[in-house]
């Protein structure tokens, strides 16, 4: 069992008061807070080690390079990548997906090709493919959802067929929390020789991930959603596929040789990391992973399941509430997206802020999904390692208070 009250003490921001109330931070699907351990690792880097990597022969540059490479090894171990060369540091999930669409996509798709995604996706896993089909004349297809927000797997072998070249889908929906059976879909894609990309932005921070067990070709996630800093993310790719792919951005560090006439590219992963990378971000992400490993990813999943079970039980007592997403906590990650009759989600979010409670309201960058489920927006509470059942109880009390408040205005 996670002692979340004790964990919360490691996060300076959680000691803050918001509008005279102790902060209850339930906006973790958007970004998570940072423990002192991560903040200090970044501060230590700038205070003691800061230098550019890879090209220097002086002590600071060698130390920076060592720490950056260590961060890559740590990420590789975290997702059980067979090697560190499969790990590319990006700005985040969005850039990781764009990298694949821009390089692998442009090189491998034509008018006979089909891309398959799902109706659950974040805009970051829709828009790059919508743009790519314009440039390659390929087609974009969607695996549909059922009314409870789970994927409909019934016609999978028709949607994924011999024209399918890539299947790109989220592991966990940021809009409504659905956990997809990605193994089933990866298998289906493999049966027709299609490549797979898993958007793990909402899963890598919350449950164990093993890319070798999954068998996916690419996997993307963001440091800031797992206690790390913003501006650092990961693209995992199978090494043989990365080696075949054209370069993404061009410039320093990604080259092998440059003449005035032409250039050749460095080996993977350097081929995909043009320019000075986010060195401090990588070091912060390594510290975040160290912190998560101390708690253990299995315990984090269990903790969030318990919180979700508790909140669902409490919220189902609220008259007329519409809770989006799957019934069972087995199919649902640690987030609850909902609507309350006669209270607009933005008004609810503003009311809760006066009580020190931070939630997200709106379309959660999943506009087509929220529309498909019959809304324009929803309120979303999302949890992490430092959240407690007491916070949930306070949250539910304040939702009930808000209903009374808005009845009277
Ligand atoms: N995919 C999913 C499922 C997400 O939740 C998010 C972030 N909300 C993204 C992609 C994009 O992540 P980032 O903004 O860190 O690039």
């Amino acid at each position: 069992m996670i002692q979340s009250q004790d964990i919360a003490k490691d996060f300076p921001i959680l000691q803050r008061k918001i509008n005279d109330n102790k902060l209850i931070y339930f906006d973790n699907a958007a970004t998570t807070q940072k423990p002192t351990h991560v903040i200090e690792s970044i501060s230590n880097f700038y205070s003691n080690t800061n230098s550019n990597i890879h090209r220097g022969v002086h002590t600071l540059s060698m130390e920076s390079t060592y720490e950056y490479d260590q961060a890559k090894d740590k990420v590789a171990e975290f997702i059980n990548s067979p090697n560190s060369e499969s790990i590319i540091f990006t700005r985040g999930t969005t850039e990781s997906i764009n990298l694949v669409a821009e390089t692998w996509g442009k090189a491998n798709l034509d008018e006979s090709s089909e891309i398959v995604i799902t109706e659950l996706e974040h805009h970051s896993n829709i828009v790059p493919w919508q743009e790519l089909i314009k440039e390659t004349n390929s087609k974009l297809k969607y695996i549909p959802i059922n009314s409870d927000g789970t994927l409909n797997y019934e016609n999978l072998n028709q949607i994924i067929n011999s024209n399918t070249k890539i299947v790109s889908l989220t592991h966990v929906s940021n809009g409504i929390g659905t956990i997809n059976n990605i193994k089933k879909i990866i298998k289906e894609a493999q049966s027709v020789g299609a490549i797979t990309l898993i958007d793990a932005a909402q899963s890598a921070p919350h449950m164990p991930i093993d890319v070798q067990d999954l068998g996916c070709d690419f996997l993307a996630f963001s440091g800031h959603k797992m206690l790390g800093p913003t501006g650092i993310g990961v693209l995992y790719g199978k090494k043989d596929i990365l080696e075949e792919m054209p370069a993404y951005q061009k410039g320093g560090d990604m080259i092998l040789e440059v003449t005035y006439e032409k250039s050749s590219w460095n080996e993977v992963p350097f081929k995909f990391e043009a320019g000075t990378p986010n060195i401090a971000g990588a070091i912060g992400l390594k510290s975040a992973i160290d912190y998560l490993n101390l708690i253990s990813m299995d315990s984090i999943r269990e903790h969030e399941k318990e919180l979700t079970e508790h909140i669902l039980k409490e919220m189902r007592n609220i008259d007329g509430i519409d809770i989006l997403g799957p019934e069972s906590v087995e199919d649902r990650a640690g987030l609850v997206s909902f609507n309350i009759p006669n209270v607009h989600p933005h008004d609810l979010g503003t009311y809760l802020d006066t009580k020190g409670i931070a939630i997200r309201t709106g379309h959660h960058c999943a506009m087509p999904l929220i529309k498909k489920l019959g809304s324009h927006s929803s309120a979303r509470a999302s949890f992490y390692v430092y959240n407690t059942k007491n916070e949930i109880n306070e949250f539910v009390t304040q939702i009930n208070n808000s209903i009374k408040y808005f009845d009277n205005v």
Side-chain angles (χ1 to χ4, degrees):
M1 259 271 288
I2 286 188
Q3 299 302 323
S4 32
Q5 296 91 330
D6 293 341
I7 289 176
K9 291 182 193 144
D10 291 340
F11 293 73
I13 206 170
L14 296 179
Q15 316 315 319
R16 248 195 88 170
K17 290 206 158 173
I18 302 286
N19 296 317
D20 293 332
N21 293 285
K22 192 163 187 306
L23 168 65
I24 295 180
Y25 187 77
F26 280 177
D27 193 17
N28 293 288
T31 200
T32 58
Q33 299 303 347
K34 323 301 172 197
T36 305
H37 177 69
V38 168
I39 298 167
E40 283 182 351
S41 72
I42 297 166
S43 168
N44 279 340
F45 170 73
Y46 282 124
S47 302
N48 297 308
T49 319
N50 178 51
S51 174
N52 213 330
I53 56 168
H54 289 153
R55 291 174 295 270
V57 291
H58 60 82
T59 301
L60 291 183
S61 181
M62 286 189 287
E63 285 178 4
S64 291
T65 304
Y66 177 76
E67 288 198 30
Y68 184 79
D69 292 346
Q70 288 265 308
K72 215 163 249 194
D73 293 345
K74 182 63 67 177
V75 170
E77 180 194 296
F78 183 66
I79 57 169
N80 196 28
S81 166
N83 55 65
S84 298
E85 293 89 65
S86 281
I87 306 299
I88 298 161
F89 280 135
T90 62
R91 283 192 300 124
T93 308
T94 304
E95 188 175 43
S96 298
I97 297 172
N98 273 280
L99 190 161
V100 176
E102 285 289 317
T103 60
W104 186 91
K106 281 189 184 164
N108 288 284
L109 301 187
D110 60 28
E111 63 282 354
S112 67
S113 314
E114 293 178 357
I115 302 164
V116 173
I117 61 174
T118 81
E119 288 183 343
L120 282 170
E121 302 308 318
H122 185 280
H123 297 162
S124 292
N125 196 32
I126 301 176
V127 185
W129 307 116
Q130 286 177 336
E131 288 304 297
L132 184 63
I133 59 169
K134 285 189 212 159
E135 293 180 45
T136 56
N137 290 318
S138 51
K139 257 204 220 126
L140 182 58
K141 288 166 80 175
Y142 289 83
I143 301 172
I145 50 168
N146 301 308
S147 56
D148 68 349
T150 54
L151 280 185
N152 181 335
Y153 298 96
E154 268 169 30
N155 297 318
L156 214 51
N157 61 359
Q158 286 160 35
I159 298 167
I160 298 173
N161 59 43
S162 56
N163 294 326
T164 311
K165 292 291 175 293
I166 184 162
V167 180
S168 182
L169 81 155
T170 195
H171 190 179
V172 169
S173 157
N174 69 303
I176 57 174
T178 312
I179 303 177
N180 292 324
N181 186 347
I182 50 171
K183 258 191 167 177
K184 185 181 174 73
I185 294 179
I186 291 167
K187 264 204 182 125
E188 194 70 44
Q190 284 170 341
S191 75
V192 297
I195 293 283
T196 49
L197 188 162
I198 302 302
D199 173 349
Q202 298 293 346
S203 61
H206 302 281
M207 58 191 74
I209 296 285
D210 181 334
V211 287
Q212 294 188 65
D213 179 50
L214 289 172
C216 55
D217 297 292
F218 296 108
L219 184 122
F221 56 99
S222 302
H224 70 98
K225 292 184 197 284
M226 48 190 284
L227 310 182
T230 51
I232 185 82
V234 173
L235 175 67
Y236 157 83
K238 279 188 182 157
K239 200 173 162 205
D240 55 334
I241 300 177
L242 292 176
E243 279 167 350
E244 290 298 310
M245 275 159 52
Y248 180 46
Q249 294 179 334
K250 286 100 185 171
D253 235 25
M254 55 76 69
I255 49 84
L256 184 64
E257 196 178 2
V258 178
T259 67
Y260 283 125
E261 288 74 36
K262 62 180 172 44
S263 309
S264 58
W265 311 147
N266 205 339
E267 295 167 352
V268 296
F270 310 111
K271 182 168 86 174
F272 296 105
E273 292 184 352
T276 301
N278 185 352
I279 308 165
I283 287 162
L285 176 57
K286 174 182 177 289
S287 302
I289 293 175
D290 283 336
Y291 189 93
L292 292 172
N293 282 341
L294 272 181
I295 302 169
S296 111
M297 295 311 294
D298 279 317
S299 311
I300 292 172
R301 171 68 186 134
E302 279 314 305
H303 171 67
E304 292 179 14
K305 240 187 192 170
E306 264 181 42
L307 293 183
T308 309
E309 206 153 34
H310 183 63
I311 197 170
L312 287 175
K313 186 168 104 289
E314 296 297 317
M315 288 186 76
R316 281 178 183 139
N317 294 327
I318 298 173
D319 241 9
I321 190 166
D322 179 20
I323 298 176
L324 309 177
E327 284 267 312
S328 157
V329 290
E330 297 303 324
D331 300 329
R332 176 193 270 282
L335 73 85
V336 178
S337 205
F338 61 95
N339 277 303
I340 295 173
N342 307 323
V343 185
H344 191 281
H346 289 309
D347 293 338
L348 176 65
T350 307
Y351 179 90
L352 291 177
D353 184 58
T354 66
K355 310 296 175 194
I357 303 172
I359 61 159
R360 183 130 309 230
T361 62
H363 51 64
H364 319 299
C365 290
M367 244 188 235
L369 168 66
I370 301 297
K371 247 192 206 159
K372 169 116 192 181
L373 294 170
S375 305
H376 288 293
S377 62
S378 74
R380 182 186 72 186
S382 52
F383 316 118
Y384 211 20
V385 286
Y386 33 69
N387 293 127
T388 64
K389 280 190 183 166
N390 283 343
E391 288 179 328
I392 287 179
N393 295 341
E394 175 63 14
F395 172 73
V396 175
T397 302
Q398 292 304 342
I399 288 185
N400 281 314
N401 288 347
S402 79
I403 293 170
K404 287 182 214 140
Y405 173 82
F406 285 110
D407 263 356
N408 293 321
V409 287

